[in-house]
C-alpha cells in the first residue's frame, strides 16, 4: 500500500494524498480525496485502494452513542468556536503519539460525511474539525473514539495544560506498573541465571509470569490500540511491531514455561516495555513543551498583575484576569486582555499590533488591545474582554492550530518513517525464519532487538520538533509565522518586492511644521480634544507632539467623518479638522483647523524613510536578491525613495492600484512581497511568501504568511537566517536518524545488542535528536 501523506492545495498546485502533483486545470475530481483526476475516477492507485478500505462508520442514535449528550444545544454552544474560520469544534485526542496517528485522524471526513475537514495539531494533541451545521457532534466524537483515541471536546476558554496533566498522570501510572513488575521480575530470574534448577526455578519462573500480567493487561494497552488501528485501517505504525514483539515474547515464554523446557523471556520483555514506555513519555513531554507553539504563554507566563477592589489590591497571575477587573498596569507590562483606559492618558508600545516602533498615546475611554505594552507608570484599566476573546487571543489560537502544517520535509520524513517501519519489520521476520533453524532463541532475541532499536520514532519526531522550535525562536525575534512551510518557501525567494509606506518608511506620521510656526496652548488643547477618541495616524501624531497640552472640559456634538476629518463644538464655537490636499512638499500630509469656518492653522506631517532601509536593501542586493519597489504613492515620491535605497528606477513603480501590484508580481517567479497587511492583501496573497510589516496583526495574517511585530527590516534577515538554520538542523537530524538506525540494526542482527540493551539504547536516538534540535536553534 502506498503511504498516506496529505491532501492540500498550495501556490496553484494541487497535491494528492500521496504527495503527487495534480493538474489544477482539470475539471474532474477524485472519488476518494477530491483532487483533480484528469477525467479518471481516481487520481492515483493509492486513492483507489483507500477508497475500498475506508468506509463511513454507521451513525449511532443518541441512546447508542456514549457521546450523545454533545448534540444537545447547550453543549454545542459551549464547545463551538465561532471565531475560527477553518474549524468550528476542537477535540483533545488522548493517545495521539506519532505521525501515523495524524494520518489516520486527518481521514475523519471519510469515516463521517458530516465532517468537512479535519486537521491535527500533533504538538497539542488536538483535532480541529469543520462540522456541517446539521451534522452530529456526538458522531464526530464517536468516530474519533472508534479510531482508538479518547476524545474530549474543548471550549474556547479551556486550558490544555489540565488535559496534559491528566494524560501524563495516566502515562506515568503505566510506567510505574511496568517498572515495578520489571524490577521485581529481575530479582526472581537472577537466581535462575545463576544456576538455580528444579522446583524453585519453576516457582520463580511462575512468579515472573504473574508479574508480567499487569504489564500485559495494563501497561501495554496503548500499544494494543495502535496495533489494532494499524491492522484495521491498514496504516503501518510503530505500535504494531512492538505489540507483536511483546506478545511473541510472552507467548513463547509461557509455552516454554508450561512444557518446562526452553528459555524464558519475561524479564527482557518486561524491561524493554518499561524502557519503551519511558521513551514514549519523554517524547510526549518534549512534544508538549516544544511542539505546542502556545504563543500566549510566551507573553504572559511570568506576568503578574495588580487587581484593585476598592481600596484593596491583590496580585494575580495573568490566567486569573477576568472581565470587569480593574488593573493597575506597571511600566513595561503587557496588557493581558482588551481593556478600557481609565487613566486620563497612556502611552503604549503597539509594535505587536502594527509593527511600528513609535509609541502611541491613548486617551481616557479608548480601548487598549491585549498584547500592547504600557510605557507609563501605574496605568488604570478595566478589562473588557479576556485574552481568549480578544483579537490577539483568537488569532493565536488559530495560528497554534495551523502552525505545524505539514511541510514537504515533514512529509518526506513521515514517508521515510513509514517505509522504515515496514523494512525493519520485514527484515526481522525474514531473519527469524532463516536463523531459527540455527538457534531459535537467538533468532528471536536478535529480531526483537532489531525491531526495538530501529524504531523510527526519532525520524518521524525530528522534523516537527525542529519546526516547532523554529516557530518559537521566530516569535522571540519579532516574527510571527502562520505555519512552518514558510521556512521552506523563503529559501527559494529570488525577487523581493517592497511597499513604500510603512516598509521602507516609518509608517507613522510625525508633526513636521505648522502655519503659523507656533500654535497656542489653547489651540493645541482644542485640537487634542477633537482628536481624543480617534485612532487615525494623525491623531496619534498630535498626541505624541503635544503630550502636556491642557484640553477643554467638554466637547459637544463631536463627529469623525472617515476620510474627511473631525467636527465638534467647544464653548459655543464650531470647530473642524479636515484634510488639506495641498502641501509644501510632495511627501507631506497636511490638515487644516477651522473655527466657525475660519482657518486657525495648518499642520504638516511627514512619514520619513527608516534609517536602516538603504543599508538593508544594499545588503539584500549583495546577497543576490533582486529588489523592487511597488507603491500607490506618487511616482516622484516612489522614485525618490528608490534612489535613497539604491533600487533601480526601472524596478520602482508608483501610482499603482492593488490589482496593478498583483499583475507585476505575476511576471516574476520565486517572489516575496513585503507590505501593509490590509492595503497590500492582494499582492501578499499572490507572492510565494507574503510578509506584512504594518496594519492589524489579525487582518494581516489573513493574507500574509509572516507578520513582523517590530519595525524595520532587521526581522527579514532574522527570518532568512532562521530558515537556513532550520534546514541545516533538519538535514542533520535526518542523517543522524538514518545512520543510528542502520548501525544499530546491523549490531542487533549480528548479536552484539540484545533486546535489553536495545530497549535502553532506543531512547538515545530520540535524545540525540532533541539535543541536536535544541542546540541548532538555540
Amino acid at each position: 500500500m502506498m503511504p498516506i501523506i496529505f491532501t492540500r492545495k498550495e501556490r496553484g498546485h494541487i497535491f494528492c494524498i500521496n504527495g503527487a502533483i495534480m493538474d489544477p486545470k482539470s475539471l474532474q475530481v477524485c472519488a476518494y480525496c477530491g483532487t483533480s483526476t484528469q477525467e479518471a475516477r481516481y487520481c492515483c492507485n493509492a486513492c483507489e485502494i483507500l477508497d475500498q478500505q475506508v468506509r463511513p462508520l454507521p451513525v449511532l442514535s443518541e441512546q447508542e452513542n456514549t457521546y450523545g449528550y454533545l448534540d444537545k444545544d447547550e453543549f454545542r454552544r459551549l464547545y463551538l468556536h465561532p471565531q475560527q474560520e477553518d474549524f468550528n469544534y476542537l477535540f483533545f485526542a488522548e493517545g495521539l503519539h506519532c505521525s501515523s496517528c495524524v494520518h489516520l485522524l486527518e481521514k475523519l471526513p471519510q469515516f463521517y460525511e458530516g465532517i468537512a475537514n479535519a486537521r491535527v495539531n500533533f504538538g497539542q494533541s488536538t483535532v480541529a474539525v469543520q462540522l456541517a451545521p446539521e451534522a452530529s457532534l456526538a458522531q464526530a466524537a464517536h468516530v474519533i473514539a472508534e479510531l482508538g483515541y479518547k476524545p474530549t471536546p474543548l471550549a474556547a476558554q479551556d486550558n490544555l495544560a489540565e488535559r496534559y496533566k491528566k494524560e501524563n498522570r495516566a502515562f506515568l501510572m503505566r510506567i510505574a506498573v511496568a517498572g515495578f513488575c520489571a524490577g521485581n521480575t529481575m530479582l526472581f530470574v537472577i537466581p535462575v541465571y545463576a544456576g538455580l534448577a528444579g522446583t524453585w526455578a519453576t516457582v520463580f519462573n511462575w512468579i515472573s509470569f504473574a508479574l508480567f500480567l499487569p504489564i500485559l493487561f495494563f501497561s501495554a494497552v496503548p500499544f494494543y490500540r495502535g496495533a489494532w488501528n494499524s491492522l484495521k485501517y491498514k496504516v503501518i505504525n510503530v505500535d504494531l511491531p512492538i505489540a507483536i514483539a511483546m506478545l511473541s515474547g510472552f507467548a513463547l515464554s509461557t509455552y516454554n514455561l508450561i512444557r518446562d523446557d526452553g528459555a524464558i523471556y519475561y524479564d527482557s520483555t518486561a524491561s524493554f516495555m518499561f524502557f519503551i514506555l519511558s521513551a514514549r513519555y519523554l517524547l510526549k513531554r518534549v512534544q508538549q513543551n516544544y511542539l505546542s507553539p502556545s504563543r500566549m504563554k510566551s507573553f504572559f507566563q511570568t506576568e503578574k498583575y495588580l487587581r484593585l477592589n476598592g481600596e484593596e489590591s491583590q496580585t494575580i497571575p495573568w490566567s486569573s484576569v477576568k472581565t470587569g477587573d480593574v488593573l493597575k498596569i506597571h511600566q513595561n507590562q503587557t496588557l493581558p486582555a482588551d481593556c478600557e483606559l481609565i487613566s486620563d492618558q497612556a502611552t503604549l508600545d503597539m509594535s505587536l499590533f502594527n509593527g511600528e516602533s513609535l509609541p502611541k498615546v491613548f486617551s481616557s475611554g479608548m480601548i487598549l488591545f491585549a498584547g500592547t505594552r504600557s510605557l507609563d507608570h501605574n496605568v488604570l484599566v478595566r478589562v473588557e474582554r479576556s485574552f481568549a476573546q480578544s483579537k490577539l487571543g483568537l488569532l493565536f489560537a488559530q495560528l497554534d492550530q495551523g502552525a505545524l502544517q505539514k511541510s514537504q520535509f515533514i512529509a518526506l520524513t513521515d514517508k521515510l518513517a513509514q517505509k522504515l517501519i515496514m523494512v525493519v519489520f520485514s527484515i526481522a521476520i525474514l531473519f527469524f525464519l532463516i536463523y531459527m533453524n540455527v538457534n531459535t532463541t537467538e533468532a528471536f532475541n536478535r529480531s526483537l532487538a532489531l525491531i526495538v532499536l530501529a524504531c523510527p520514532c526519532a525520524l518521524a519526531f525530528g522534523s516537527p520538533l525542529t519546526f516547532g522550535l523554529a516557530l518559537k525562536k521566530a516569535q522571540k525575534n519579532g516574527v510571527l509565522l502562520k505555519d512552518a512551510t514558510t521556512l521552506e518557501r523563503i529559501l527559494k525567494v529570488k525577487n523581493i518586492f517592497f511597499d513604500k509606506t510603512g516598509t521602507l518608511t516609518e509608517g507613522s506620521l510625525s508633526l513636521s511644521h505648522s502655519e503659523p510656526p507656533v500654535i497656542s496652548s489653547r489651540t493645541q488643547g482644542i485640537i487634542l480634544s477633537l482628536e481624543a477618541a480617534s485612532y487615525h495616524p494623525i491623531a496619534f501624531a498630535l498626541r505624541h507632539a503635544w503630550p502636556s497640552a491642557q484640553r477643554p472640559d467638554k466637547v459637544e456634538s463631536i463627529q469623525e467623518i472617515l476620510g474627511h476629518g473631525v467636527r465638534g463644538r467647544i464653548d459655543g464655537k464650531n470647530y473642524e479638522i479636515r484634510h488639506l490636499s495641498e502641501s509644501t512638499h510632495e511627501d507631506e500630509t497636511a490638515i487644516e483647523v477651522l473655527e466657525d469656518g475660519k482657518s486657525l492653522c495648518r499642520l504638516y506631517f511627514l512619514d520619513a524613510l527608516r534609517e536602516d532601509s538603504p543599508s538593508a536593501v544594499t545588503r539584500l542586493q549583495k546577497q543576490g536578491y533582486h529588489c523592487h519597489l511597488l507603491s500607490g504613492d506618487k511616482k516622484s515620491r516612489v522614485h525618490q525613495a528608490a534612489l535613497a535605497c539604491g533600487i533601480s528606477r526601472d524596478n520602482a513603480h508608483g501610482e499603482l492600484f492593488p490589482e496593478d501590484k498583483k499583475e507585476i508580481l505575476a511576471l516574476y517567479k520565486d517572489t516575496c512581497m513585503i507590505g501593509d497587511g490590509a492595503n497590500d492583501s492582494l499582492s501578499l496573497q499572490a507572492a510565494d511568501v507574503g510578509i506584512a510589516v504594518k496594519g492589524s496583526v489579525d487582518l494581516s495574517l489573513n493574507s500574509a504568511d509572516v507578520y513582523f511585530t517590530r519595525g524595520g527590516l532587521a526581522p527579514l534577515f532574522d527570518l532568512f537566517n532562521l530558515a537556513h538554520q532550520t534546514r541545516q538542523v533538519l538535514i542533520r537530524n535526518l542523517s543522524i536518524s538514518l545512520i543510528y538506525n542502520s548501525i544499530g540494526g546491523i549490531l542487533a542482527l549480528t548479536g552484539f545488542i540484545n533486546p535489553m540493551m536495545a530497549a535502553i539504547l532506543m531512547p538515545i536516538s530520540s535524545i540525540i535528536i532533541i539535543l541536536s534540535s535544541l542546540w541548532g536553534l538555540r
Side-chain angles (χ1 to χ4, degrees):
M1 187 187 82
M2 299 184 71
I4 304 168
I5 305 299
F6 54 97
T7 306
R8 76 182 192 274
K9 184 174 182 180
E10 179 182 293
R11 304 293 172 190
H13 299 295
I14 298 176
F15 293 77
C16 170
I17 54 171
N18 68 342
I21 300 178
M22 312 306 298
D23 182 4
K25 297 180 180 180
S26 175
L27 298 178
Q28 300 296 319
V29 295
C30 175
Y32 171 72
C33 69
T35 56
S36 299
T37 66
Q38 299 171 326
E39 307 301 328
R41 176 170 172 76
Y42 299 100
C43 60
C44 63
N45 292 334
C47 278
E48 185 172 4
I49 295 171
L50 288 169
D51 195 30
Q52 296 170 2
Q53 295 172 351
V54 179
R55 296 297 181 194
L57 296 176
V59 179
L60 303 182
S61 66
E62 183 177 347
Q63 292 74 24
E64 296 173 318
N65 195 337
T66 308
Y67 305 94
Y69 66 93
L70 292 178
D71 281 335
K72 295 181 179 179
D73 290 342
E74 57 268 32
F75 287 100
R76 290 184 73 100
R77 287 194 300 268
L78 173 64
Y79 297 119
L80 182 66
H81 293 253
Q83 303 295 332
Q84 302 297 335
E85 294 182 359
D86 52 351
F87 71 91
N88 49 18
Y89 290 98
L90 186 66
F91 290 93
F92 179 80
E94 185 176 338
L96 196 159
H97 62 264
C98 70
S99 58
S100 297
C101 302
V102 176
H103 301 326
L104 187 59
L105 284 170
E106 288 189 342
K107 293 196 294 181
L108 283 175
Q110 276 72 57
F111 294 102
Y112 178 44
E113 61 182 9
I115 300 176
N117 183 45
R119 188 177 70 246
V120 176
N121 186 308
F122 180 61
Q124 294 184 339
S125 295
T126 58
V127 186
V129 300
Q130 185 68 44
L131 203 64
E134 69 282 357
S136 168
L137 179 61
Q139 179 67 12
H142 167 70
V143 171
I144 296 174
E146 279 293 299
L147 296 182
Y149 309 92
K150 184 179 178 181
T152 302
L154 297 175
Q157 67 273 14
D158 280 351
N159 187 359
L160 277 175
E162 294 300 320
R163 306 295 175 184
Y164 291 154
K165 288 181 181 178
K166 183 178 179 181
E167 185 179 27
N168 292 342
R169 195 177 297 117
F171 218 118
L172 286 172
M173 184 66 72
R174 298 184 191 277
I175 293 174
V177 170
F180 173 83
C181 294
N184 282 279
T185 300
M186 294 297 295
L187 294 177
F188 288 100
V189 300
I190 288 175
V192 177
Y193 288 152
L196 180 67
T199 304
W200 280 109
T202 303
V203 170
F204 282 5
N205 284 332
W206 277 105
I207 293 175
S208 298
F209 166 81
L211 286 171
F212 192 82
L213 295 180
I215 297 177
L216 185 70
F217 295 111
F218 177 70
S219 297
V221 168
F223 298 101
Y224 301 151
R225 293 175 185 154
W228 173 246
N229 285 337
S230 179
L231 295 172
K232 186 176 180 180
Y233 301 107
K234 297 180 176 60
V235 178
I236 295 295
N237 65 36
V238 72
D239 287 346
L240 180 61
I242 289 177
I244 291 177
M246 186 206 64
L247 292 174
S248 299
F250 172 77
L252 186 59
S253 299
T254 304
Y255 173 74
N256 290 339
L257 178 61
I258 292 173
R259 68 190 186 98
D260 197 22
D261 183 37
I264 305 296
Y265 307 104
Y266 294 129
D267 56 329
S268 58
T269 308
S271 297
F272 97 75
M273 284 302 300
F274 168 71
F275 285 114
I276 287 173
L277 283 167
S278 300
R280 181 160 291 184
Y281 179 73
L282 170 67
L283 295 181
K284 174 64 70 174
R285 294 295 292 155
V286 173
Q287 168 189 331
Q288 293 168 358
N289 291 330
Y290 294 107
L291 287 184
S292 175
S294 192
R295 299 169 193 261
M296 66 177 67
K297 282 187 180 180
S298 63
F299 281 93
F300 304 112
Q301 190 168 22
T302 60
E303 287 279 12
K304 296 179 177 61
Y305 295 90
L306 189 64
R307 180 167 60 192
L308 305 181
N309 186 9
E311 296 183 357
E312 299 180 357
S313 61
Q314 179 186 9
T315 301
I316 59 174
W318 73 271
S319 56
S320 297
V321 173
K322 299 178 181 177
T323 302
D325 286 349
V326 175
L327 307 177
K328 181 181 284 188
I329 305 297
H330 302 300
Q331 189 177 35
N332 291 324
Q333 266 199 315
T334 302
L335 267 67
D338 287 352
C339 304
E340 179 186 353
L341 179 61
I342 299 177
S343 300
D344 293 335
Q345 190 168 282
T347 305
L348 297 180
D349 176 3
M350 295 282 292
S351 58
L352 177 64
F353 249 85
N354 56 21
E356 297 177 7
S357 57
L358 296 179
K360 299 291 186 182
V361 181
F362 289 77
S363 301
S364 178
M366 298 180 72
I367 298 298
L368 313 181
F369 298 114
T372 54
R373 184 167 57 92
S374 173
L375 301 179
D376 294 332
H377 290 283
N378 300 329
V379 175
L380 294 181
V381 297
R382 181 181 293 105
V383 177
E384 291 291 314
R385 288 182 294 272
S386 67
F387 185 84
Q389 298 171 325
S390 67
K391 285 186 176 181
L392 192 62
L394 293 172
L395 171 70
F396 280 4
Q398 183 176 352
L399 291 179
D400 286 349
Q401 285 302 316
L404 295 179
Q405 178 181 327
K406 295 184 185 69
S407 66
Q408 292 180 1
F409 206 98
I410 291 179
L412 172 63
T413 53
D414 282 353
K415 194 172 184 177
L416 286 175
Q418 292 277 315
K419 288 186 175 181
L420 186 58
I421 292 174
M422 298 174 67
V423 169
V424 168
F425 197 45
S426 301
I427 291 175
I429 293 175
L430 183 62
F431 178 85
F432 178 78
L433 295 175
I434 295 174
Y435 204 76
M436 67 182 295
N437 296 321
V438 179
N439 188 324
T440 303
T441 301
E442 194 64 22
F444 177 80
N445 284 335
R446 295 186 186 187
S447 299
L448 181 59
L450 172 65
I451 292 174
V452 173
L453 186 62
C455 168
C457 292
L459 178 61
F461 181 76
S463 296
L465 172 62
T466 302
F467 281 119
L469 291 170
L471 289 174
K472 286 181 178 291
K473 184 174 182 179
Q475 182 174 313
K476 289 180 181 178
N477 291 335
V479 179
L480 282 181
L481 295 171
K482 184 182 292 186
D483 58 64
T485 62
T486 304
L487 293 171
E488 293 183 339
R489 287 184 274 115
I490 195 70
L491 293 173
K492 301 176 183 178
V493 167
K494 299 297 181 184
N495 294 281
I496 301 178
F497 294 80
F498 296 97
D499 177 45
K500 183 178 76 69
T501 305
T503 305
L504 298 180
T505 65
E506 290 289 351
S508 58
L509 300 175
S510 59
L511 184 61
S512 174
H513 62 280
S514 63
E515 295 177 3
V518 178
I519 306 298
S520 68
S521 58
R522 175 182 175 276
T523 303
Q524 289 180 8
I526 290 172
I527 295 172
L528 289 177
S529 296
L530 293 170
E531 297 280 10
S534 175
Y535 289 88
H536 194 279
I538 286 178
F540 283 109
L542 290 170
R543 288 193 286 266
H544 185 265
W546 303 326
S548 58
Q550 296 296 319
R551 290 180 278 175
D553 294 335
K554 189 175 182 181
V555 181
E556 301 174 350
S557 305
I558 191 167
Q559 182 183 13
E560 183 174 10
I561 304 173
L562 187 64
H564 181 76
V566 182
R567 296 173 182 172
R569 187 174 179 84
I570 302 175
D571 297 333
K573 294 184 178 181
N574 296 316
Y575 291 91
E576 181 181 359
I577 301 177
R578 66 184 185 186
H579 176 71
L580 190 64
S581 58
E582 63 179 83
S583 62
T584 55
H585 299 284
E586 283 192 337
D587 55 351
E588 288 181 337
T589 299
I591 61 171
E592 185 175 25
V593 182
L594 305 174
E595 181 185 74
D596 287 334
K598 296 181 180 179
S599 178
L600 276 181
C601 61
R602 293 183 177 183
L603 307 174
Y604 298 88
F605 302 85
L606 183 67
D607 182 13
L609 195 70
R610 293 184 185 273
E611 292 183 2
D612 65 339
S613 292
S615 59
V617 172
T618 301
R619 181 178 170 185
L620 289 169
Q621 290 175 336
K622 287 182 178 179
Q623 293 177 358
Y625 295 102
H626 304 288
C627 295
H628 308 256
L629 182 57
L630 306 178
S631 178
D633 208 349
K634 293 182 179 179
K635 289 182 178 180
S636 57
R637 298 181 189 176
V638 174
H639 291 153
Q640 182 181 358
L643 179 64
C645 293
I647 297 176
S648 169
R649 186 183 180 91
D650 294 336
N651 290 342
H653 306 274
E655 300 180 8
L656 299 176
F657 290 103
E659 295 80 3
D660 299 329
K661 295 181 181 180
K662 181 179 178 181
E663 290 179 3
I664 292 175
L665 276 165
L667 300 176
Y668 296 85
K669 295 181 179 180
D670 304 324
T671 57
C672 172
M673 176 68 192
I674 308 175
D676 187 318
N679 298 333
D680 296 316
S681 59
L682 286 178
S683 49
L684 289 172
Q685 289 175 333
D688 293 303
V689 177
I691 301 175
V693 297
K694 188 175 181 293
S696 173
V697 60
D698 55 335
L699 295 177
S700 297
L701 284 175
N702 284 333
S703 52
D705 303 296
V706 186
Y707 185 86
F708 290 164
T709 62
R710 56 190 176 101
L713 295 177
L716 179 63
F717 296 100
D718 291 337
L719 177 60
F720 281 124
N721 292 335
L722 180 62
H724 285 286
Q725 281 183 329
T726 303
R727 182 172 62 179
Q728 291 173 357
V729 173
L730 288 170
I731 294 173
R732 182 171 67 230
N733 288 351
L734 179 61
S735 302
I736 291 172
S737 296
L738 294 177
I739 292 172
Y740 185 94
N741 284 320
S742 299
I743 295 176
I746 293 172
L747 292 176
L749 290 179
T750 52
F752 289 97
I753 296 177
N754 59 36
M756 178 73 73
M757 293 175 60
I760 297 173
L761 292 173
M762 187 198 75
I764 293 179
S765 62
S766 299
I767 294 173
I768 292 174
I769 293 300
I770 292 170
L771 295 177
S772 170
S773 301
L774 290 172
W775 180 76
L777 292 165
R778 62 193 183 279

